[in-house]
C-alpha cells in the first residue's frame, strides 16, 4: 500500500499544470508552518481517486483540485480568525471555510502560515485537556479527584 505522501506526489505530477504547481506550493507552505503535519489521503471511491488531507491533532485542511481552482478547505475554519481575509469560499457555513486559489493568483504565505498554525492550535486545544476520574477512598468513603492525561489518538 502506498503512502499518502506518494499519492499526493502522484496527484501533483498527474495534474502537470498550474494546479499541480499550486498544490505543491501550498503543501510546502503547510509543512513550513508546521513540520509535524501529517499527510493523509482520504475519501477515495470509484468516482474519485481521493483528496489530500493535512492533519495535526485532527484535520487542518484539505488540498482539493478542480478545473479552475485549487481549494484549501479548513475543517474548523469558521472558528479561526482570518485578519488577512484569506478565506474567500464556503463563507456561509458554520464549521468549514475555504480558500480558492485561481490560476495566476498568489497566496500571502505569511498569512497562510498563521492560519495553519491557528488551525493546529485549535485542534490541539481539545487534545491537551486532562480528564478527571472520581475515585472513592474505601477507608474514608470520601471522593477525591485525580487528574489523568487523556490518551493520545493514534
Amino acid at each position: 500500500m502506498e503512502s499518502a505522501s506518494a499519492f499526493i506526489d502522484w496527484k501533483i505530477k498527474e495534474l502537470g499544470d498550474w494546479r499541480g504547481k499550486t498544490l505543491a506550493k501550498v503543501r510546502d507552505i503547510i509543512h513550513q508552518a508546521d513540520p509535524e503535519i501529517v499527510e493523509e489521503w482520504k475519501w477515495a471511491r470509484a468516482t474519485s481517486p481521493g483528496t489530500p488531507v493535512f492533519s495535526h491533532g485532527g484535520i487542518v485542511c484539505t488540498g482539493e483540485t478542480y478545473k479552475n481552482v485549487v481549494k484549501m478547505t479548513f475543517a474548523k475554519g469558521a472558528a479561526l480568525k482570518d485578519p488577512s481575509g484569506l478565506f474567500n469560499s464556503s463563507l456561509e457555513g458554520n464549521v468549514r471555510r475555504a480558500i480558492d486559489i485561481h490560476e495566476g493568483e498568489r497566496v500571502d504565505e505569511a498569512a497562510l502560515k498563521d492560519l495553519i498554525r491557528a488551525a493546529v492550535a485549535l485542534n490541539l486545544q481539545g487534545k491537551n485537556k486532562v480528564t478527571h476520574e472520581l475515585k472513592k477512598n474505601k477507608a474514608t468513603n470520601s471522593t477525591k479527584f485525580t487528574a489523568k492525561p487523556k490518551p493520545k489518538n493514534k
Side-chain angles (χ1 to χ4, degrees), residues 18-35:
W18 71 270
R19 296 170 301 161
K21 290 177 185 171
T22 302
L23 180 59
K25 180 66 176 172
V26 164
R27 179 191 202 188
D28 185 51
I29 293 167
I30 291 168
H31 284 286
Q32 287 176 33
D34 181 7

Side-chain angles (χ1 to χ4, degrees), residues 57 127 150-154:
K127 306 281 184 199
K150 257 183 150 175
K152 290 184 179 182
N153 292 342
K154 291 188 178 184

Side-chain angles (χ1 to χ4, degrees), residues 95-127:
V95 181
R96 291 182 297 278
R97 292 284 185 273
I99 301 168
D100 284 354
I101 306 167
H102 297 89
E103 185 174 9
E105 289 182 343
R106 295 187 57 109
V107 176
D108 181 338
E109 290 186 33
L112 182 55
K113 287 177 186 177
D114 288 343
L115 203 55
I116 291 161
R117 290 180 188 120
V120 170
L122 182 61
N123 282 351
L124 295 178
Q125 197 173 41
K127 306 281 184 199

